[in-house]
Amino acid sequence: MKDQVELLSVNDLRVCFSGKKSGIMGGSLPVPVVNGVSFNVYKGETLGLVGESGCGKTTLGRALIRLGSPVVTGKVAFEGREISGIGNREFRSLRKEMQMIFQDPFGSLNPRLTVGQTLEEVLLVHSLARGEAARKRIVELLDVVGLNRDYINRYPHEFSGGQRQRIGIARALAVKPKFIICDEPVSALDVSIQSQIINLLKDLQRDMGLTYLFIAHDLSVVEYISDRVAVMYLGKIVEIADSTELYANPEHPYTRALLSAIPNPEFGAKKERILLNGDLPGPLNMPSGCPFHPRCPVATAECKQRIPKLQERQNNGHQVACLLYE
Ligand code: SF4
């Protein structure tokens, strides 16, 4: 485990979107997507965040840097400073410290701007460099992410998926952030390109002391890059531990099922797959008690009544939310 100095601290974060208008009065029901999530991210580490599509992991990442306009409650502190209550104007200056890399780099790049113009725009918006100084910095950024500096005048459509993700990473690095939320950064890429981008992220972390929240649904990728891993289910963290500990001793039945689906690298080796019943329920159909109980292979009658708390059992940072351990 790396240096345990808190960079980000999240306490009881809840994120709701307004739902469709309904009823005679036309009121709309709030749709809770993140339901009271608490965790820390330590300086220099990668915290992996995993779970099925729709579990709220991307919404959580976006809410941390105020993307979109959901209703967000709870407390967030960055470098010890409470930032959940600050106004949007003040928050904008914090954006230099907290950046995001997106799943679809093509969708997040302006097709009418060359890579040079894209990076220059970031430098100008944040008043970091202009003119010749900006050009020097852009060339430096292209070098850092492994793109040929001759590509400076090319447009997004002239690049491959992996190269576009490198541009997305260069754009995030342009403001010299401390914390980067990587939202499924390799899931749209070919497997051979995935490892290049993951290794680039690891190298940048080592060289620049970056801290990552790495959101993904591929557990093998998350195991490779993460120091710790948090597992999310229906808007809640159900287990969090050091990566090695979590993959060796998963405690939550949901984590066990997810891990059982990873193919075994040893040819011919058999692994028992744990199949879950049904699909992930929608946020408006939140089950009573433990939210996982309708799909849990070891649920008891009590699981329909009581909500388990995320608790540590052995003083090793491994926390789990399951009544089996309470
Ligand atoms: Fe399964 Fe019950 Fe544990 Fe929930 S609390 S994960 S339903 S055993």
Side-chain angles (χ1 to χ4, degrees):
M1 169 134 1
K2 303 212 171 144
D3 198 8
Q4 294 243 311
V5 178
E6 260 177 39
L7 182 72
L8 184 83
S9 165
V10 177
N11 199 349
D12 198 24
L13 193 82
R14 291 168 194 272
V15 186
C16 276
F17 290 92
S18 47
K20 282 189 189 142
K21 301 253 187 242
S22 64
I24 309 165
M25 305 300 285
S28 59
L29 287 173
V31 182
V33 182
V34 177
N35 292 309
V37 159
S38 302
F39 62 96
N40 299 325
V41 186
Y42 300 112
K43 277 188 185 164
E45 78 162 349
T46 297
L47 174 66
L49 185 60
V50 296
E52 288 162 285
S53 290
C55 72
K57 53 193 191 304
T58 290
T59 301
L60 168 59
R62 291 172 67 89
L64 290 176
I65 56 165
R66 297 198 186 175
L67 286 181
S69 47
V71 177
V72 181
T73 59
K75 292 207 184 316
V76 179
F78 186 73
E79 295 193 301
R81 175 187 170 208
E82 162 84 43
I83 58 168
S84 25
I86 66 174
N88 283 340
R89 179 183 272 206
E90 204 178 337
F91 192 83
R92 237 171 272 141
S93 64
L94 259 177
R95 280 261 172 82
K96 267 195 273 193
E97 316 279 352
M98 305 164 83
Q99 286 286 301
M100 191 152 182
I101 298 169
F102 299 90
Q103 176 180 3
D104 174 12
F106 196 51
S108 68
L109 294 170
N110 185 335
R112 286 191 289 268
L113 297 185
T114 63
V115 55
Q117 289 167 331
T118 295
L119 297 176
E120 186 180 24
E121 190 179 49
V122 178
L123 297 173
L124 288 175
V125 164
H126 291 280
S127 309
L128 292 170
R130 57 176 60 243
E132 189 46 36
R135 194 182 159 79
K136 262 174 113 177
R137 175 77 177 128
I138 291 164
V139 168
E140 186 184 299
L141 285 164
L142 293 179
D143 286 347
V144 163
V145 299
L147 282 174
N148 191 320
R149 48 179 74 184
D150 295 339
Y151 294 169
I152 196 165
N153 292 319
R154 288 198 185 175
Y155 290 89
H157 73 269
E158 297 177 86
F159 292 96
S160 67
Q163 287 173 324
R164 284 198 285 262
Q165 194 52 285
R166 287 175 193 267
I167 300 170
I169 295 169
R171 185 176 53 183
L173 293 178
V175 292
K176 300 190 175 168
K178 292 176 180 157
F179 176 53
I180 300 183
I181 298 167
C182 308
D183 182 17
E184 302 263 13
V186 296
S187 50
L189 304 176
D190 290 346
V191 174
S192 58
I193 310 294
Q194 284 188 3
S195 53
Q196 291 174 16
I197 297 294
I198 294 290
N199 287 330
L200 171 64
L201 289 169
K202 282 182 94 138
D203 291 348
L204 294 171
Q205 182 174 47
R206 184 197 57 220
D207 297 345
M208 300 179 184
L210 296 166
T211 304
Y212 296 140
L213 176 64
F214 191 92
I215 300 169
H217 63 269
D218 183 330
L219 280 106
S220 309
V221 169
V222 169
E223 181 181 19
Y224 180 64
I225 196 169
S226 305
D227 297 291
R228 290 187 304 137
V229 176
V231 181
M232 246 181 122
Y233 186 80
L234 263 185
K236 285 182 178 293
I237 290 179
V238 295
E239 188 160 11
I240 183 165
D242 278 4
S243 180
T244 326
E245 160 70 11
L246 187 107
Y247 282 75
N249 302 307
E251 291 184 342
H252 198 282
Y254 179 58
T255 312
R256 287 188 187 156
L258 288 181
L259 293 184
S260 79
I262 302 179
N264 201 322
E266 284 174 44
F267 183 71
K270 286 242 163 68
K271 191 156 97 173
E272 197 185 334
R273 175 98 192 252
I274 303 169
L275 294 173
L276 296 177
N277 295 323
D279 296 324
L280 189 74
L284 286 175
N285 302 318
M286 184 69 82
S288 62
C290 172
F292 186 54
H293 85 254
R295 301 174 76 196
C296 181
V298 289
T300 64
E302 192 192 7
C303 301
K304 296 182 186 167
Q305 315 289 336
R306 247 187 351 118
I307 301 177
K309 290 193 191 103
L310 189 64
Q311 288 177 337
E312 185 175 1
R313 293 197 303 133
Q314 292 174 358
N315 210 20
N316 60 354
H318 190 159
Q319 299 177 62
V320 61
C322 173
L323 296 176
L324 292 178
Y325 305 98
E326 284 190 10

